[in-house]
Amino acid sequence: MSQDGRSTMSEHIPRRRTVVPGSPEAVEIMRLTAVVAERLQARHDEINASMNEAIEHSIADLDDPELRDMLHASVEGNIATILHMLRNDIPVDHARPATAATEYAVRLARRKVPATSLRRAYHFGSDDLLAQIFEEVREIDVDPNARLRLLHHLAGWLHSYVDWISRIVLDAYEDERRQIEERSASIAASVVRGVLDDVPGAHQGFAERTGYRLEQQHVAAVMWIAQANLGVDHTERLRSLAGELSRATKSATPLFTAVDRNTAWVWFGRGSHGGELDRTSVQSVLADDPEAGIALGRLGRDITGFRTSHRQAEAARDVASVARTGHQLTAHGDRAVAVVAMLLTDIDALGVWVADVLGPLASATEQAERMRGTLLEFLANGGSYQATAERLLLHRNTVKYRVERAIALRGRPLDSDRLDLELALEVVRLLGDVVLP
């Protein structure tokens, strides 16, 4: 109400923009809607040209004459559908999309035109049509309140139509994009396996078919999601993680091949002088996804390095799959990983050998674990108590006590089988309780 007690015009307008079927005003608003639709139909060619011009002026991806023709067909199909529905009072939820509209969306996906262009086309097109509708409503000789209510109804109806058709065409776009990606991934996977298996001629056209160059340095990786639900496809999650790792390590766009729903093979292109992946950067990215694991091969060059680095990544993955250390990153270049990978053919025999070499030191207790860790670091530092203490942030006497206690517990001097001792300690460090009695 106004201050003088009279009703203002806005108070007569319901909050709902479109008219409620069966309401007192519905019959008159529907009659006026049909009148507006007939007037628009009489100007069909003009409206069609205006909408096409508005869209073409605002979108930069329409240089292709074929795409432009398909856009025009889509616009004409949408206008025909809209005017038919308005003239005959057909609800939006009873609409059927014009074939040209979905075909245009599919063609955009095939040409790799971003979906934003599709959204923008409907945004600018509907704005232009709404302006045409408003002009026609202004020409109708009706009560101002009825004219305003009619404008609200038509604007609300058009908004509902655009929301509906946008979802339809975007779904068609995404379906086509997914099918293209799946076909491309299948082709790329076949080509990659051909190169790995040294199939004659498989490397020819590799870059064109996969988007990745063999003539550079590579670091191969095996990526997975630990303890994943087998019913869930984690491919996109792994693909996204590979992209983040590529950016963090300043690598070229990675070559990604899904092995199954939970595992992927990846190659990070390092150009001519990229070097190994920065370990800190890799661990920083993995920290954001605690369930993700990655095994890395060493840096390799050209097609031979492509294959070799992959085999190394697979070997590191074997170590990671057996180990229960909880480490997210396992690299073939890490200490003893390459050797331990070769020992995994018989885990039971490996456990027996570890127990034979370490004796009572091969015990799954915290005390034995501390002694093994100290002894391994002592051997790695050339038998220096001081250097070991600095590395482990311990007092020199503590290191000396643990080393002497480990030697006594094992019952053999260090020099009797030093190589076996170091290797057995490395095996336990990497694989943990799996190889302990």
Side-chain angles (χ1 to χ4, degrees):
M1 298 286 287
S2 63
Q3 291 183 348
D4 60 3
R6 291 178 296 180
S7 297
T8 61
M9 182 172 65
S10 62
E11 288 180 280
H12 294 287
I13 301 173
R15 292 182 180 180
R16 181 169 177 159
R17 295 175 70 182
T18 53
V19 169
V20 180
S23 64
E25 62 179 347
V27 174
E28 178 63 8
I29 294 298
M30 292 302 103
R31 184 186 72 80
L32 293 173
T33 295
V35 170
V36 171
E38 290 292 346
R39 294 171 68 98
L40 291 170
Q41 184 64 46
R43 297 172 50 221
H44 177 276
D45 292 344
E46 177 190 344
I47 292 171
N48 189 57
S50 176
M51 189 180 295
N52 280 318
E53 182 181 357
I55 295 171
E56 290 178 25
H57 181 72
S58 306
I59 296 178
D61 299 309
L62 296 173
D63 295 336
D64 188 325
E66 185 180 359
L67 281 183
R68 194 179 302 114
D69 289 345
M70 294 196 74
L71 168 67
H72 294 172
S74 174
V75 168
E76 186 170 6
N78 274 297
I79 291 174
T81 301
I82 289 170
L83 296 183
H84 174 72
M85 294 176 70
L86 289 176
R87 291 202 312 274
N88 295 281
D89 189 22
I90 299 175
V92 171
D93 56 5
H94 290 182
R96 295 291 182 270
T99 301
T102 52
E103 282 300 316
Y104 176 61
V106 168
R107 190 61 58 90
L108 288 181
R110 290 176 183 171
R111 297 293 179 84
K112 297 183 179 180
V113 176
T116 51
S117 293
L118 193 58
R119 295 189 185 93
R120 286 167 63 84
Y122 277 92
H123 171 73
F124 288 108
S126 62
D127 276 357
D128 185 79
L129 180 58
L130 192 58
Q132 304 281 357
I133 289 173
F134 281 8
E135 287 299 318
E136 293 298 338
V137 172
R138 287 175 57 187
E139 298 298 321
I140 299 177
D141 185 18
V142 294
D143 176 79
N145 281 345
R147 176 179 290 112
L148 189 58
R149 189 67 190 94
L150 177 60
L151 284 172
H152 274 261
H153 171 73
L154 287 169
W157 189 94
L158 185 59
H159 174 81
S160 297
Y161 176 84
V162 171
D163 179 66
W164 168 79
I165 190 64
S166 294
R167 283 185 279 113
I168 296 291
V169 297
L170 285 171
D171 283 348
Y173 178 97
E174 290 300 326
D175 284 345
E176 183 65 19
R177 185 188 63 81
R178 277 194 296 270
Q179 290 181 36
I180 291 170
E181 287 184 352
E182 287 172 2
R183 289 194 295 269
S184 177
S186 177
I187 293 171
S190 176
V191 172
V192 166
R193 290 181 183 275
V195 169
L196 291 176
D197 295 339
D198 201 12
V199 174
H203 65 284
Q204 295 177 358
F206 189 89
E208 291 76 11
R209 290 183 285 178
T210 66
Y212 184 90
R213 292 188 303 110
L214 289 173
E215 298 78 16
Q216 61 174 322
Q217 291 182 324
H218 322 274
V219 173
V222 179
M223 299 175 58
W224 67 91
I225 302 299
Q227 300 177 341
N229 184 340
L230 296 180
V232 178
D233 190 345
H234 294 281
T235 300
E236 291 308 313
R237 178 179 174 185
L238 290 169
R239 190 190 305 275
S240 176
L241 186 62
E244 292 177 24
L245 286 167
S246 178
R247 289 187 290 273
T249 58
K250 296 181 174 58
S251 301
T253 301
L255 173 57
F256 181 95
T257 300
V259 178
D260 54 40
R261 290 183 166 197
N262 187 44
T263 312
W265 293 344
V266 186
W267 284 262
F268 297 96
R270 304 296 289 160
S272 300
H273 308 287
E276 299 282 0
L277 300 186
D278 178 63
R279 194 181 186 92
T280 302
S281 298
V282 174
Q283 290 174 324
S284 176
V285 172
L286 291 175
D288 293 332
D289 191 343
E291 294 178 327
I294 183 170
L296 295 176
R298 297 171 186 253
L299 185 72
R301 182 179 292 277
D302 298 334
I303 190 169
T304 300
F306 182 87
R307 297 188 186 111
T308 302
S309 187
H310 173 71
R311 287 196 295 268
Q312 293 168 345
E314 287 275 49
R317 162 64 162 147
D318 290 342
V319 173
S321 64
V322 173
R324 298 174 184 174
T325 57
H327 296 158
Q328 288 184 274
L329 171 60
T330 305
H332 192 267
D334 288 351
R335 194 174 72 190
V337 169
V339 175
V340 172
M342 290 186 285
L343 299 174
L344 293 178
T345 53
D346 190 336
I347 292 293
D348 291 338
L350 182 59
V352 171
W353 177 79
V354 165
D356 180 62
V357 174
L358 297 184
L361 265 182
S363 174
T365 64
E366 291 184 10
Q367 183 182 25
E369 183 179 359
R370 283 196 298 270
M371 284 190 288
R372 285 194 303 268
T374 305
L375 180 58
L376 180 58
E377 196 64 41
F378 176 75
L379 295 172
N381 282 280
S384 169
Y385 292 115
Q386 187 60 41
T388 304
E390 291 173 359
R391 287 277 298 171
L392 298 179
L393 302 179
L394 296 172
H395 192 279
R396 182 180 182 280
N397 289 341
T398 301
V399 171
K400 189 173 184 296
Y401 170 78
R402 288 185 183 177
V403 169
E404 291 176 351
R405 182 79 181 94
I407 293 171
L409 187 62
R410 180 170 174 259
R412 276 176 275 177
L414 294 182
D415 294 335
S416 64
D417 53 357
R418 171 119 178 209
L419 182 60
D420 283 1
L421 173 60
E422 287 194 59
L423 182 55
L425 290 171
E426 292 285 10
V427 168
V428 178
R429 179 183 67 82
L430 289 170
L431 303 183
D433 293 354
V434 175
V435 291
L436 295 179

